[in-house]
Amino acid sequence: MGTLNADNLSSVTSEQISDQDLNTYYQKAKASNVSDAQIEQLLRARGMAVGEIGKIMQRLKGLGGIANLTVNAKPDTKQNNTTRKQAPTKEILAEVELDSLEQMIYGMELFTNPSLSFEPDLQIATPLDYVVGPGDVLSVIIYGQSEASYNLKVSPEGNVFIQNAGIINVNGLTIAEADQKIRAHLAKTIYRAINSGFTQVKTTLGGIRTIKVIVIGQARKPGVYSVSSFTTLFNLLYTCGGPSKNGSFRNIEVIRAGKRIAVADLYQFLHNGSTKANIRLTENDVVKINYYDKRIYLKGAFKRPGIYELTANENLQQTIDYAGGFIDSAYREQVRITEVAGKQKEIKTVVASNFNGFKPATGSTIEAEYVYARFKNRISAEGAFKRAGTYSVESASSLLKLVQLADGLREGAFTEKISISRLNAD
C-alpha cells in the first residue's frame, strides 16, 4: 500500500491509498486550515501525477471529506465576517509542510516504521566483555571430580557469597575476569582439585540486571529509562523514539561519569551498515542528542528525495550518494541549488564536474531536473505506412530507407505526394 506522507509520490496511484489513510491525511490537513486547493498543490509538489490527484480528490468527495461545491455559488452575505473561517496563514502552511517533510528526514523511518524493532537480544551467549554489576545473577557450575552449581546474585556492594568459600567481590569485572577470580578463590578454599585440573569451573550470566540510563537533548521522548544491562545505544535510541525533527542523526554523544566516551553518526549505519558506534550502555550513562548543524533538501530526480544532514566537510557528491544517486531519467549534467543569502535567496547552478568541490550551505534546496521528453535523432513515420512509428536518423538516413524500415506502404496509399515536416533547420 502507498502513503500520502511519502517523500516521492511520482509512482503512487490512488488505488494504493486506503480509505482510512486518505481520511486521516485529509483530517490532519483540515485541522491546520489547509484548503482543498492547497492539498492538491502539496500532492503535486511531491510529484503525484495530475490524473491521480484528480482521483484522490474525487474519492475524498465520496468519503464525505470535501464538501460538495456549487459552481458560481453566491457568497453568504449574511455571514458575519468575524466568524468566517480564516484562510491558513503562511506560518500554518509552513508547519503542515514541515510535518510532512519530517517523514523525509533521512533515517527517520528507523524510528517511525512500526514493522522495525531494535529490542535487545536476551538469548545470546554472554559477551566476554560484559561488565558485572549489582543485580546480575552469576551461574557457577563445578564439574569433573566434584560437581555442584550455584546461582549467585550480585549484592548492591558488588559481592557474591558461596557457602564455605566466603565473599567474592565481582563488581566492575567483565564476565571473563569474574570467572577467573571465582575459579582462583574456589581453588584456594573448597575445590582444591581445580589446581590439578581434575575439577573445572565455568561462570556465566544466569540473570541480567536492570540499569537506568538518561536521554537528553533533541530526542522525541527524552527522560530516564530502565532497561536491561544488555541494552546498546541503538536499542535505547529506538526506545526513546530517536532524534526529533530538530535532532541530529550525526552527533549523538554517550557520556559516562561526566566524560564523553563515544559519538555516534547514524549515517555510518544507514549508509555503510557499520555498528561500530552501537556500544553497550551501563548504569547512569547519559545519551545526548544534539541539535543538527547543517541540513539540505534534495528534490526532483533523485532516487530518494528528502532532507539530509551533512557534516562540515561533506560535499555535494557525497550528499547525492546518500540519496542513492540520480534516477534513470534524471538530467545528470548539473543541479540547481537555492541558498539563503542574507535577507534573500540565491540560485546557483553546479555542473557535474564540480560536485566534489562544492559544499552546500545549510538550508539549501538542491534540485535535479528530468531529461527533456524530446529526442535528438528521431524520425516519425505517420500515415499509410505498414509499420508507422518512430525510427532513428542513423537507420533511416533517406526517405527510401525509412519506407523500407516501415515495411512499405499500405495498399491504397496515395503515392503521388508525401509530406515532410522538419523541425530542425538542418
Side-chain angles (χ1 to χ4, degrees):
M1 298 295 290
T3 173
L4 292 177
N5 290 320
D7 49 9
N8 187 350
L9 299 176
S10 59
S11 60
V12 176
T13 64
S14 171
E15 290 76 12
Q16 293 175 318
I17 309 297
S18 68
D19 288 347
Q20 181 178 356
D21 288 346
L22 188 58
N23 190 52
T24 300
Y25 181 87
Y26 184 74
Q27 294 302 325
K28 182 177 179 180
K30 288 288 120 178
S32 300
N33 290 341
V34 178
S35 70
D36 300 333
Q38 288 159 341
I39 290 176
E40 291 188 49
Q41 292 173 4
L42 291 174
L43 296 178
R44 191 177 300 112
R46 286 168 177 76
M48 178 172 276
V50 175
E52 297 302 327
I53 294 176
K55 294 178 183 178
I56 289 289
M57 304 310 285
Q58 287 297 325
R59 285 181 58 196
L60 282 173
K61 290 182 181 180
L63 292 172
I66 300 178
N68 292 327
L69 303 177
T70 303
V71 180
N72 296 327
K74 294 181 179 180
D76 184 3
T77 56
K78 296 181 180 180
Q79 186 180 19
N80 190 331
N81 288 338
T82 60
T83 61
R84 288 179 182 172
K85 188 174 182 179
Q86 294 182 347
T89 63
K90 291 183 179 179
E91 290 76 13
I92 292 177
L93 288 174
E95 184 176 350
V96 173
E97 183 73 8
L98 186 59
D99 287 340
S100 301
L101 291 179
E102 183 177 1
Q103 300 303 317
M104 299 176 68
I105 296 175
Y106 182 55
M108 190 64 78
E109 63 272 14
L110 283 178
F111 307 104
T112 59
N113 189 340
S115 64
L116 296 177
S117 177
F118 289 91
E119 296 295 330
D121 187 357
L122 305 182
Q123 304 302 318
I124 62 173
T126 305
L128 294 179
D129 61 348
Y130 177 83
V131 178
V132 178
D136 281 333
V137 176
L138 300 182
S139 177
V140 180
I141 300 175
I142 314 295
Y143 60 97
Q145 191 177 68
S146 301
E147 292 188 353
S149 63
Y150 303 91
N151 285 322
L152 311 174
K153 186 172 184 179
V154 182
S155 70
E157 294 77 23
N159 300 322
V160 293
F161 173 74
I162 301 177
Q163 191 172 6
N164 299 322
I167 294 175
I168 308 170
N169 187 277
V170 294
N171 188 46
L173 302 179
T174 66
I175 196 70
E177 292 169 341
D179 179 63
Q180 293 176 359
K181 189 170 185 178
I182 291 172
R183 179 186 290 108
H185 189 84
L186 293 177
K188 292 188 300 183
T189 53
I190 56 176
Y191 295 105
R192 297 184 181 276
I194 293 173
N195 296 315
S196 62
F198 291 107
T199 297
Q200 301 292 325
V201 181
K202 181 65 176 177
T203 303
T204 58
L205 193 64
I208 57 177
R209 68 188 186 275
T210 298
I211 62 173
K212 288 187 177 181
V213 291
I214 305 169
V215 180
I216 61 175
Q218 298 308 301
R220 282 175 171 265
K221 296 179 288 184
V224 180
Y225 289 85
S226 295
V227 295
S228 81
S229 53
F230 271 14
T231 299
T232 65
L233 174 60
F234 288 4
N235 299 147
L236 183 64
L237 288 175
Y238 181 78
T239 302
C240 75
S244 67
K245 61 187 177 184
N246 290 321
S248 172
F249 281 72
R250 314 204 61 180
N251 186 14
I252 301 174
E253 301 177 73
V254 179
I255 302 169
R256 184 171 295 166
K259 296 181 179 180
R260 186 174 67 179
I261 64 166
V263 178
D265 181 352
L266 294 185
Y267 276 34
Q268 294 301 313
F269 171 69
L270 293 165
H271 195 61
N272 303 319
S274 172
T275 58
K276 182 179 179 181
N278 191 26
I279 64 173
R280 188 176 298 107
L281 302 176
T282 63
E283 183 76 24
N284 293 323
D285 276 354
V286 177
V287 174
K288 181 184 178 184
I289 302 178
N290 292 291
Y291 285 100
Y292 73 85
D293 286 327
K294 185 178 181 180
R295 269 191 192 160
I296 53 88
Y297 176 34
L298 266 62
K299 62 183 292 187
F302 295 103
K303 289 181 179 176
R304 189 199 181 281
I307 299 173
Y308 292 85
E309 183 179 351
L310 303 182
T311 61
N313 295 320
E314 287 182 321
N315 58 45
L316 177 56
Q317 183 59 59
Q318 290 170 298
T319 308
I320 295 173
D321 291 341
Y322 285 138
F326 297 99
I327 64 174
D328 294 340
S329 58
Y331 179 62
R332 302 164 184 254
E333 298 305 312
Q334 65 184 39
V335 295
R336 182 169 58 248
I337 299 178
T338 304
E339 292 185 348
V340 177
K343 296 181 179 180
Q344 304 178 75
K345 291 186 176 181
E346 180 180 359
I347 292 180
K348 297 180 179 179
T349 300
V350 181
V351 297
S353 59
N354 293 333
F355 285 176
N356 283 314
F358 184 84
K359 295 180 181 179
T362 187
S364 296
T365 297
I366 301 172
E367 183 175 5
E369 296 185 336
Y370 298 85
V371 294
Y372 294 128
R374 56 185 297 181
F375 299 84
K376 64 178 183 180
N377 66 338
R378 181 176 66 174
I379 296 177
S380 296
E382 301 175 354
F385 293 95
K386 288 183 179 180
R387 296 187 182 277
T390 57
Y391 298 89
S392 68
V393 170
E394 294 79 8
S395 62
S397 57
S398 68
L399 181 58
L400 178 60
K401 287 185 178 180
L402 176 62
V403 173
Q404 292 172 342
L405 285 174
D407 238 1
L409 302 176
R410 297 176 187 172
E411 294 181 4
F414 181 69
T415 58
E416 299 299 321
K417 181 180 179 182
I418 188 169
S419 296
I420 299 176
S421 297
R422 179 170 290 172
L423 299 179
N424 295 333
D426 58 353

